[in-house]
């Protein structure tokens, strides 16, 4: 039986907020807790493989919680836990409970492939996890194996049902749409929202080194929407041409859930980017597509003061560029593989 976890939530004043050179205020931290995964998705794990971080170079939960506390003091109020696959790291519910209890943190979310979720959904809910994003790219067992190089569709589907039963609402279901790979399942995924309280989100395929991306595999937001609108009425729940929101969400008459699009490639979100990323080895990144600007691990381990660690965090955000490069250039950039960044 998992032990019960007590949650206390407190608010607190913010010292000087975390603002970059372009006036963007940073309020959202994504924490990758491991670069290991129980799947090997072709679009995420480089085809030539990659070197995992040594175990003793992975931040401990105590070190992660210290960074979260420092960030909360300077205005971070949302934390997303990701990986690799976060559920392969032991005791994750304890970390979630610790983040939930951090003064100033209002939302704690997680992204998972759901393969281990059936056994952990209840304890994560009890720990105070408020938002759950689940990645699923196909409903066909043979295709699941081809995309993720593992035969775990049944476990992933059981994980999604367990999450619904545990009361996560809404659940976001992320499908990376790849031309010629799974784009013929668009309408099957729309149907998942008919009787379930889930937001099905279609992600444009992003280029990373050795992940099979080329222009032909990118199915744009406009194209996905055109194909879906041949069959369904889409009612926008966002303001078209309004401030950039990462999800363009739509209702469909008679549906319990909704659908959405993440248009990272055809309409980027740089202008309003409020994100900073902490990787499992302590690296700190200000942009998904650029290598880390800082690594906090050494500082955290040699007893550096809170003020100095905060200085490193601010230096990372000050180095943030206004915009990332154009599509074709992204694939050539030196960067961590997606499996180490966590989305
Ligand atoms: N293992 C967890 C999972 O799969 O949900 C968390 C880590 S995974 C790297 C986070 C998210 O990044 C997933 O939704 C995944 O589909 C997405 N992702 C990975 N590579 C991508 C790519 N090349 N283009 C678009 N999304 C990608
Ligand atoms: Fe693992 Fe998630 Fe990457 Fe797939 S997308 S290899 S599940 S980290």
């Amino acid at each position: 039986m998992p032990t019960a976890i007590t949650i206390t939530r407190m608010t607190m004043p913010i010292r000087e907020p975390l603002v970059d050179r372009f006036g963007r205020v940073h309020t959202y931290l994504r924490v990758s807790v491991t670069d290991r995964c129980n799947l090997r998705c072709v679009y995420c794990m480089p085809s030539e493989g990659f070197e995992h971080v040594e175990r003793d170079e992975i931040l401990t939960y105590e070190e992660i919680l210290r960074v979260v506390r420092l960030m909360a003091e300077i205005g971070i109020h949302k934390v997303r836990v990701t990986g690799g696959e976060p559920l392969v790291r032991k005791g994750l519910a304890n970390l979630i409970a610790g983040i939930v209890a951090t003064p100033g943190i209002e939302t704690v979310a997680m992204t998972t492939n759901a393969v281990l979720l059936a056994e952990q959904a209840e304890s994560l809910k009890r720990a105070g996890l408020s938002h759950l994003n689940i990645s699923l790219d196909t409903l066909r067992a043979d295709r699941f194996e081809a995309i993720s190089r593992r035969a775990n569709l049944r476990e992933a589907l059981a994980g999604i049902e367990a999450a619904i039963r545990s009361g996560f609402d809404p659940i976001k279901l992320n499908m990376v749409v790849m031309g010629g790979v799974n784009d013929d399942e668009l309408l099957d995924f729309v149907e998942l929202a008919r009787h379930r309280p889930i937001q099905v989100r279609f992600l444009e395929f992003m280029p990373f080194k050795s992940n099979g991306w080329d222009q032909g595999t990118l199915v744009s937001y406009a194209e996905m929407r055109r194909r879906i609108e041949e069959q369904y009425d889409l009612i926008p729940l966002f303001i078209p041409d309004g401030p950039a929101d990462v999800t363009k969400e739509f209702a469909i008459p008679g549906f319990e859930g909704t659908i959405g699009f993440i248009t990272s490639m055809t309409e980027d979100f740089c202008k309003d980017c409020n994100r900073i990323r902490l990787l499992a080895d302590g690296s700190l990144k200000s942009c998904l597509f650029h290598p880390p600007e800082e690594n906090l691990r050494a500082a955290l381990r040699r007893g550096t003061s809170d003020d100095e660690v905060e200085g490193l965090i601010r230096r990372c955000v000050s180095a943030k560029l206004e915009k990332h490069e154009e599509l074709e250039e992204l694939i050539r950039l030196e960067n961590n593989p997606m499996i180490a960044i966590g989305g």
Side-chain angles (χ1 to χ4, degrees):
M1 277 287 283
T3 47
I5 293 160
T6 312
I7 300 161
T8 42
R9 200 188 276 276
M10 293 144 74
T11 52
M12 43 149 251
I14 295 162
R15 290 203 309 277
E16 199 187 330
L18 199 48
V19 187
D20 72 4
R21 291 175 294 148
F22 307 95
R24 293 172 294 199
V25 181
H26 288 65
T27 56
Y28 181 8
L29 169 68
R30 298 173 72 106
V31 181
S32 171
V33 294
T34 177
D35 64 354
R36 292 178 190 261
C37 187
N38 44 2
L39 301 182
R40 302 268 178 283
C41 302
V42 288
Y43 52 77
C44 176
M45 164 89 98
S47 51
E48 68 270 22
F50 83 109
E51 246 177 69
H52 290 287
V53 175
E54 296 293 330
R55 279 187 198 285
D56 63 350
E57 291 179 351
I58 299 276
L59 294 191
T60 64
Y61 286 163
E62 289 70 25
E63 288 164 344
I64 293 173
L65 286 173
R66 180 174 174 209
V67 177
V68 169
R69 173 180 59 77
L70 283 172
M71 293 239 192
E73 288 172 8
I74 53 177
I76 294 290
H77 55 73
K78 174 172 178 180
V79 176
R80 174 171 301 281
V81 173
T82 178
E85 172 48 40
L87 296 182
V88 302
R89 187 153 172 189
K90 288 210 170 61
L92 191 76
N94 296 328
L95 175 72
I96 301 281
I99 299 173
V100 169
T102 304
I105 299 299
E106 293 161 8
T107 305
V108 185
M110 186 178 76
T111 305
T112 172
N113 62 32
V115 170
L116 297 172
L117 196 53
E119 58 212 61
Q120 298 191 40
E122 281 285 335
S123 60
L124 292 165
K125 185 75 187 160
R126 270 201 306 276
L129 185 70
S130 51
H131 292 69
L132 195 55
N133 288 10
I134 296 176
S135 310
L136 183 73
D137 306 309
T138 178
L139 297 169
R140 302 182 192 178
D142 55 341
R143 198 174 268 179
F144 186 96
E145 194 168 348
I147 294 174
S148 71
R149 301 172 180 128
R150 293 289 183 272
N152 288 125
L153 177 62
R154 196 145 44 104
E155 290 77 7
L157 294 177
I160 295 169
E161 296 304 333
I164 295 173
R165 274 198 310 278
S166 304
F168 287 103
D169 180 13
I171 288 171
K172 294 180 182 171
L173 195 68
N174 291 341
M175 174 196 195
V176 179
V177 180
M178 294 165 282
V181 176
N182 61 353
D183 58 327
D184 56 346
E185 291 186 66
L186 270 179
L187 302 186
D188 298 339
F189 270 71
V190 172
E191 280 299 319
L192 293 176
R194 189 184 285 277
H195 299 299
R196 292 183 187 80
I198 57 179
Q199 184 192 85
V200 177
R201 304 197 306 177
F202 301 107
L203 276 57
E204 287 179 342
F205 181 20
M206 296 189 281
F208 283 84
K209 252 192 196 158
S210 314
N211 80 342
W213 186 95
D214 64 38
Q215 280 284 3
T217 56
L218 173 64
V219 186
S220 68
Y221 160 53
E223 174 59 16
M224 289 190 252
R225 199 172 152 183
R226 188 190 65 71
R227 291 193 209 170
I228 293 171
E229 283 188 310
E230 282 176 2
Q231 303 288 333
Y232 301 90
D233 287 334
L234 299 188
I235 302 160
L237 298 173
F238 64 104
I239 306 167
D241 303 321
D245 190 345
V246 292
T247 310
K248 295 179 171 55
E249 191 182 358
F250 296 84
I252 302 178
F255 272 49
E256 193 176 339
T258 59
I259 68 160
F261 301 88
I262 311 273
T263 62
S264 323
M265 294 295 96
T266 58
E267 294 177 29
D268 68 56
F269 316 117
C270 300
K271 188 165 72 62
D272 298 310
C273 181
N274 63 353
R275 299 169 179 204
I276 181 166
R277 292 175 165 83
L278 178 67
L279 307 195
D281 67 348
S283 303
L284 204 57
K285 272 167 89 76
S286 69
C287 174
L288 176 63
F289 293 106
H290 290 147
E293 286 88 356
E294 301 290 338
N295 188 310
L296 303 183
R297 189 181 66 246
L300 293 169
R301 291 187 179 174
R302 63 166 181 260
T304 307
S305 71
D306 283 358
D307 280 354
E308 281 171 272
V309 178
E310 181 183 323
L312 296 175
I313 297 169
R314 289 194 185 279
R315 203 162 73 182
C316 169
V317 166
S318 323
K320 186 161 179 155
L321 300 180
E322 187 170 15
K323 233 179 142 332
H324 63 66
E325 289 73 359
E326 296 304 324
L327 286 186
E328 282 74 13
E329 239 171 285
L330 290 179
I331 204 156
R332 285 188 286 275
L333 288 181
E334 245 348 283
N335 192 3
N336 319 77
M338 187 59 143
I339 192 165
I341 305 172

